[in-house]
Amino acid sequence: MNTSYMEAALLLAGILFMLGLISVLIRRNIIFMLISVEIMLNAAGLAFIVAGTRWVQPDGQIMFIFILTMAAAEVSVGLALILQIYHQLKTLNSDAANFMKG
Amino acid sequence: MELTFYIAAAVAILSTIMVITRFNLIHALLYLVVSFMAVAVVFFTLGAPFMAALEVIIYAGAIVVLIIFVIMMLNLTQEDVQREKEWLRPSVWVGPAILSAVLLAELVYVFMAGDTVQAGAVVAVDAKVVGLALFGPYVLGVQLSGILLMAGIVGAYHLGRQKKKVIHRFLQERSAAS
């Protein structure tokens, strides 16, 4: 359509990314933090799609496929870590896992 | 098409706000599915129908179902929701939220004030072009993401393994004998 359309799409990506960032900063439940990371990855993928549309090239969509793959691998490993933390500490509070001093 | 885009964008923002303010995990996940579907509609209006399908199948399907399985394994109750409410006191979220809102305002300002580039009409980039590029110049990336997924599976199995609590009597006898 026109430029405002693309800008609105990029703005949507920025807003979604910022919402995910807020959530990952304020939440203490690790599952919510993982969900927020998913939101941020999705917003980054949206920005790639907008770029791919702007130049009518498939590269943006391919980058989104790679982000999708990475998100799937990340969420499976993250959920396994959450299960282990829950079984060790009996809580979902991310502050409880500070004994690693990392 | 433009109206569709704006409605879907509004739905995406609203449902994402609902995701990050819920106390109950399942409610948050339901809103998360709505958010992913709205983003899929946005992809469709941006001329990426294949990615819209992948968004629904992988994000709203596979990843959210994976999270739901883990929540079911954790066996959370109503008192966990109450504890979640305690963890989210205003003193915790006001500071980061204000700072992030400042960043967002800066982003909006940059978009509004920046010189606009001329873009043509939205042209759909269909699945055929994506597939040709994926297995043409990007074939190494496809191989690497296959390795990444394999590492994810092995890592998730290794991390998610629990110490065995009940040992079969045959194994007990063997460990006692040795």
Side-chain angles (χ1 to χ4, degrees):
Chain A
M1 313 283 151
N2 47 28
T3 58
S4 67
Y5 192 45
M6 298 287 165
E7 281 189 358
L10 267 184
L11 258 184
L12 174 68
I15 290 171
L16 287 181
F17 191 89
M18 225 31 106
L19 285 174
L21 182 65
I22 291 174
S23 182
V24 85
L25 286 174
I26 67 177
R27 285 280 180 170
R28 291 162 85 184
N29 189 327
I30 27 181
I31 295 185
F32 271 106
M33 290 167 82
L34 193 71
I35 291 173
S36 317
V37 172
E38 292 301 310
I39 293 172
M40 287 167 72
L41 284 174
N42 195 34
L46 176 58
F48 273 114
I49 298 270
V50 175
T53 306
R54 167 67 180 78
W55 283 287
V56 199
Q57 293 290 322
D59 303 62
Q61 301 194 15
I62 285 163
M63 216 41 87
F64 180 72
I65 292 181
F66 288 156
I67 289 177
L68 209 63
T69 314
M70 203 269 297
E74 175 254 340
V75 82
S76 59
V77 174
L79 284 172
L81 275 173
I82 286 173
L83 273 182
Q84 273 305 20
I85 288 175
Y86 188 74
H87 283 126
Q88 301 275 331
L89 305 174
K90 304 280 181 257
T91 177
L92 285 175
N93 191 344
S94 58
D95 291 351
N98 65 351
F99 53 84
M100 288 200 283
K101 310 287 182 201
Chain B
M1 211 60 158
E2 213 162 336
L3 186 65
T4 318
F5 167 78
Y6 285 116
I7 293 173
V11 170
I13 293 172
L14 282 178
S15 56
T16 309
I17 290 173
M18 293 301 272
V19 170
I20 69 172
T21 52
R22 289 307 92 185
F23 301 120
N24 195 325
L25 260 169
I26 295 293
H27 297 174
L29 276 178
L30 287 176
Y31 280 113
L32 188 69
V33 171
V34 175
S35 164
F36 283 153
M37 285 183 172
V39 173
V41 173
V42 169
F43 286 169
F44 196 79
T45 60
L46 284 172
F50 185 42
M51 293 306 116
L54 278 187
E55 173 91 11
V56 171
I57 292 170
I58 298 182
Y59 261 120
I63 291 181
V64 171
V65 166
L66 199 64
I67 299 175
I68 286 177
F69 278 165
V70 170
I71 291 171
M72 284 157 72
M73 284 170 77
L74 292 182
N75 200 11
L76 299 175
T77 54
Q78 195 63 33
E79 72 184 78
D80 288 286
V81 177
Q82 289 301 321
R83 199 180 305 144
E84 181 69 28
K85 206 175 262 181
E86 281 172 30
W87 286 349
L88 208 63
R89 288 192 311 273
S91 60
V92 176
W93 60 262
V94 162
I98 288 176
L99 290 178
S100 304
V102 170
L103 276 181
L104 181 62
E106 206 171 8
L107 191 77
V108 171
Y109 174 74
V110 168
F111 270 117
M112 290 305 151
D115 49 344
T116 54
V117 284
Q118 287 299 317
V122 170
V123 181
V125 183
D126 60 352
K128 187 185 172 189
V129 186
V130 176
L132 281 176
L134 195 59
F135 289 97
Y138 287 100
V139 70
L140 189 65
V142 175
Q143 308 260 354
L144 284 176
S145 51
I147 295 173
L148 176 72
L149 282 176
M150 190 68 214
I153 293 170
V154 174
Y157 171 70
H158 183 73
L159 288 171
R161 201 179 39 179
Q162 294 175 34
K163 194 178 283 178
K164 216 166 193 181
K165 296 184 184 75
V166 182
I167 304 176
H168 195 270
R169 60 180 188 284
F170 175 69
L171 292 174
Q172 267 177 335
E173 281 166 16
R174 267 181 42 155
S175 61
S178 63

